[in-house]
Amino acid sequence: MPSLIDDVLRRLYEEPPDGFVATRAAAIQQARAAGDRETAKRLAALKKPTVAAWVVNLLVRRRPDLIGELVELSGALRAAQRELRGEQLRELSEQRRRFVSALVAAARELAVAAGAGAGKLPLGEVESTLTAALADPEVAEQVRTGRLIRSAAYAGFGEVPRPRLRLITGGEQEGVAEEPPARRITGGEQEGVAEEPSAAVERVSAQQRAARERRRREAERRRRELERELASAEAAERRADEHLERAEAAERDAADLVDDLEAELAELERRRTEAVADVARRKQARRVAEREAAAARRRVGDVQAALDEVTDPS
């Protein structure tokens, strides 16, 4: 049900989070009523966004022009960081601060217009998420989907932690796990020894590679666990389907037997009705015969009396 999913996604990630659970529950019930269990399952997997994530999603959906500028600036900043061009990096960093401030102000205005209290908005988290998006084009693209459920933060050099997403595109779900923030290194590890920027970047890169390898191994372990759970669930589903088929066959047999017995009962009832009618007819015939027999006996008596008078005239 793509139309249902699209409409629910728009409402879930554009409307304030306090109505998320009720909106999702109503959509799940609608999908189940339509017999679409797969859509109901996918809708149930959607996660409620934090208020900060909702504010960012609202900005993405209501002001896509600003998000387009954010993606462009993200690429320029990333290129300057890779090439370590100090003057350009400082200029772009200043531009980033001004741009993020403008984005936060626009997001605040949209959230207040949507019914959120201005004093309760976590604008610091909104700012950190937008800053992270500017520091990493991949995060910028994720923010651009408008389906964040958590905020993100940037800690310095290297990759930024990915905000957790759960997307439905074309009926499929995709997830991006939240990564731990990278450690910022501004100096050497030994006291009094300065570290070149390239060495700092290399050290962070090595740490990130190790962290990615740990995450890869953990993801592989989790994948194997889920595959085992899936195999077990599929086997249980097959057994349940077989049991259901047997139960349905037994139900059909019982229903057929009831139909046969009802047909037999109908035939017996018809025969009983005919027999009752035949008994009534025969009873009537017996009564007629009794009357005829009584009349005949009277006639015999009368004739016998007349004969006796003729035989004995005295």
Side-chain angles (χ1 to χ4, degrees):
M1 301 175 61
S3 60
L4 173 61
I5 291 179
D6 292 342
D7 180 62
V8 173
L9 284 174
R10 179 190 61 78
R11 286 185 287 129
L12 287 179
Y13 294 103
E14 188 172 339
E15 296 177 358
D18 53 6
F20 184 96
V21 174
T23 300
R24 182 183 59 186
I28 292 171
Q29 183 177 5
Q30 181 180 352
R32 288 174 177 168
D36 193 344
R37 294 193 301 173
E38 184 63 25
T39 294
K41 180 179 179 181
R42 289 171 180 166
L43 290 173
L46 296 176
K47 302 299 182 183
K48 178 180 177 179
T50 63
V51 175
W54 166 68
V55 174
V56 175
N57 292 337
L58 190 62
L59 177 66
V60 171
R61 293 175 177 274
R62 299 287 178 84
R63 293 297 307 273
D65 55 323
L66 294 179
I67 301 304
E69 294 179 21
L70 180 146
V71 173
E72 293 179 3
L73 182 57
S74 168
L77 278 168
R78 192 64 175 174
Q81 286 178 330
R82 284 196 301 268
E83 298 172 12
L84 296 175
R85 297 194 297 267
E87 184 62 30
Q88 184 181 8
L89 185 58
R90 283 191 294 273
E91 180 180 348
L92 288 173
S93 296
E94 179 60 28
Q95 184 179 354
R96 177 186 63 188
R97 284 191 292 271
R98 292 195 302 268
F99 188 56
V100 168
S101 297
L103 289 177
V104 171
R108 178 183 180 278
E109 181 178 352
L110 290 171
V112 171
K120 298 180 179 180
L121 292 174
L123 298 181
E125 294 181 42
V126 174
E127 181 178 358
S128 68
T129 300
L130 295 172
T131 300
L134 281 167
D136 189 334
E138 183 178 347
V139 176
E141 288 299 328
Q142 295 169 2
V143 167
R144 201 173 189 177
T145 65
R147 300 172 190 168
L148 294 180
I149 61 173
R150 296 286 185 275
S151 58
Y154 180 48
F157 290 107
E159 300 293 332
V160 299
R162 270 54 168 176
R164 295 177 60 195
L165 301 176
R166 188 172 299 275
L167 311 182
I168 295 182
T169 56
E172 297 295 329
Q173 297 184 23
E174 300 178 3
V176 180
E178 186 175 11
E179 301 181 3
R183 182 167 62 93
R184 180 170 186 171
I185 300 177
T186 56
E189 294 296 329
Q190 299 179 358
E191 184 178 358
V193 179
E195 190 171 30
E196 293 295 329
S198 59
V201 172
E202 179 61 28
R203 182 181 298 277
V204 172
S205 297
Q207 293 173 345
Q208 291 173 342
R209 286 193 297 271
R212 284 195 294 269
E213 178 61 22
R214 288 193 299 272
R215 290 193 297 273
R216 186 194 66 78
R217 289 195 298 269
E218 176 61 23
E220 179 64 21
R221 181 191 65 80
R222 180 58 177 161
R223 183 186 64 81
R224 289 193 295 268
E225 290 180 355
L226 291 175
E227 286 177 348
R228 288 193 295 270
E229 292 181 9
L230 177 61
S232 176
E234 288 176 342
E237 182 183 24
R238 288 192 297 270
R239 291 193 297 271
D241 287 341
E242 292 172 357
H243 184 267
L244 176 60
E245 290 176 0
R246 290 194 298 270
E248 289 176 343
E251 181 184 12
R252 287 193 299 270
D253 292 342
D256 291 342
L257 178 59
V258 169
D259 291 341
D260 293 342
L261 291 173
E262 287 180 346
E264 291 180 11
L265 286 172
E267 176 62 19
L268 290 172
E269 180 62 24
R270 184 188 65 78
R271 292 171 59 186
R272 188 189 72 83
T273 301
E274 290 180 353
V276 169
D278 188 56
V279 167
R281 288 193 300 271
R282 293 180 183 275
K283 182 180 292 186
Q284 182 65 28
R286 177 185 60 79
R287 291 173 178 170
V288 171
E290 287 178 346
R291 288 195 296 270
E292 290 176 350
R297 283 194 294 271
R298 288 194 300 273
R299 177 62 178 166
V300 169
D302 292 342
V303 172
Q304 184 65 47
L307 180 60
D308 290 342
E309 289 179 359
V310 172
T311 303
D312 187 8
S314 61

